[in-house]
Amino acid sequence: MIGRLRGTLADKQPPHLILDVNGLGYELEVPMTTLYRLPAVGEPVTLHTHLVVREDAHLLYGFYEKRERELFRELIRLNGVGPKLALALMSGLEVDELVRCVQAQDTSALVRVPGVGKKTAERLLVELKDRFKAWETLPGMATLVVEPRGLSTVSSAENDAVSALISLGYKPQEASRAVSAIKEDGLSSEDMIRRALKGMV
């Protein structure tokens, strides 16, 4: 099991990235909450990882904090929740927001995540309630401070943001509309994704 990687951020195409570790490039998929906190390409970063082995592929998922990885592992243990849905849930809701939803048994935020209907949301909340009892005493997640980082062209940032939303399960038309609604000059793809997700949820 690969539990942690420290290296240089070589490429970033939301929600995928490549981490260069001593000349070896690891391709990882990350939730948007991790993506917002990544440094610029070429900068060093350490990510906590989870490896999923399938018959046709070995998939590596990266997380900025151990707590995010723990949440991911809790989610994929649930019946009917795979890595794709787990990342979608974690991209639409920060760790503390999801914990609060479970504690309050509030389905409203969950049903806005692609692939989660009302029955699925209700089942997830019931199954997670006991698992999250221990999470109540954990310290809250730090407030994310995102500084806009300009990309070469606005259109490339828009395209990256739309592609990331589609990969999370949103329909192309929904993704395009959400990004267009929050478009501003100088926004990075990460900022666009964050604002679009907040607008959707």
Side-chain angles (χ1 to χ4, degrees):
M1 178 68 75
I2 301 171
R4 188 182 71 172
L5 290 174
R6 178 184 295 147
T8 303
L9 187 59
D11 190 29
K12 186 165 47 174
Q13 297 291 328
H16 299 92
L17 58 89
I18 294 178
L19 195 63
D20 186 325
V21 182
N22 298 322
L24 185 61
Y26 288 89
E27 183 176 323
L28 300 97
E29 192 166 349
V30 299
M32 295 304 135
T33 46
T34 288
L35 185 82
Y36 306 147
R37 307 170 81 178
L38 292 176
V41 171
E43 295 292 321
V45 66
T46 299
L47 293 174
H48 303 280
T49 59
H50 180 84
L51 178 65
V52 174
V53 179
R54 298 191 330 209
E55 286 185 8
D56 59 341
H58 287 200
L59 305 172
L60 197 58
Y61 298 91
F63 307 92
Y64 199 81
E65 291 188 345
K66 279 186 179 180
R67 194 177 182 211
E68 290 179 315
R69 184 179 65 185
E70 289 169 15
L71 174 60
F72 178 79
R73 288 174 172 173
E74 290 287 359
L75 290 172
I76 61 174
R77 286 190 189 108
L78 301 178
N79 184 34
V81 178
K84 185 179 176 69
L85 181 54
L87 285 186
L89 286 164
M90 294 178 67
S91 294
L93 297 163
E94 291 177 16
V95 177
D96 287 335
E97 291 175 325
L98 185 53
V99 171
R100 281 194 294 270
C101 280
V102 172
Q103 290 170 349
Q105 292 292 286
D106 179 14
T107 61
S108 58
L110 295 186
V111 295
R112 295 188 182 100
V113 175
V116 180
K118 188 174 182 183
K119 286 186 177 179
T120 302
E122 289 171 350
R123 179 176 57 79
L124 290 177
L125 291 178
V126 170
E127 292 187 28
L128 285 170
K129 191 169 186 180
D130 290 335
R131 293 175 183 267
F132 274 11
K133 281 181 179 174
W135 288 61
E136 295 175 8
T137 57
L138 289 178
M141 203 171 170
T143 302
L144 301 183
V145 179
V146 181
E147 296 180 5
R149 291 189 294 272
L151 294 186
S152 55
T153 63
V154 172
S155 61
S156 69
E158 288 176 33
N159 289 337
D160 286 349
V162 171
S163 296
L165 293 174
I166 292 170
S167 73
L168 289 173
Y170 290 98
K171 294 176 183 175
Q173 301 92 326
E174 290 177 330
S176 296
R177 275 199 303 269
V179 171
S180 296
I182 50 83
K183 188 167 61 176
E184 285 180 24
D185 289 342
L187 285 181
S188 69
S189 57
E190 293 95 328
D191 294 330
M192 289 187 184
I193 294 164
R194 179 169 56 91
R195 293 188 183 190
L197 281 170
K198 288 296 181 188
M200 288 171 158
V201 175

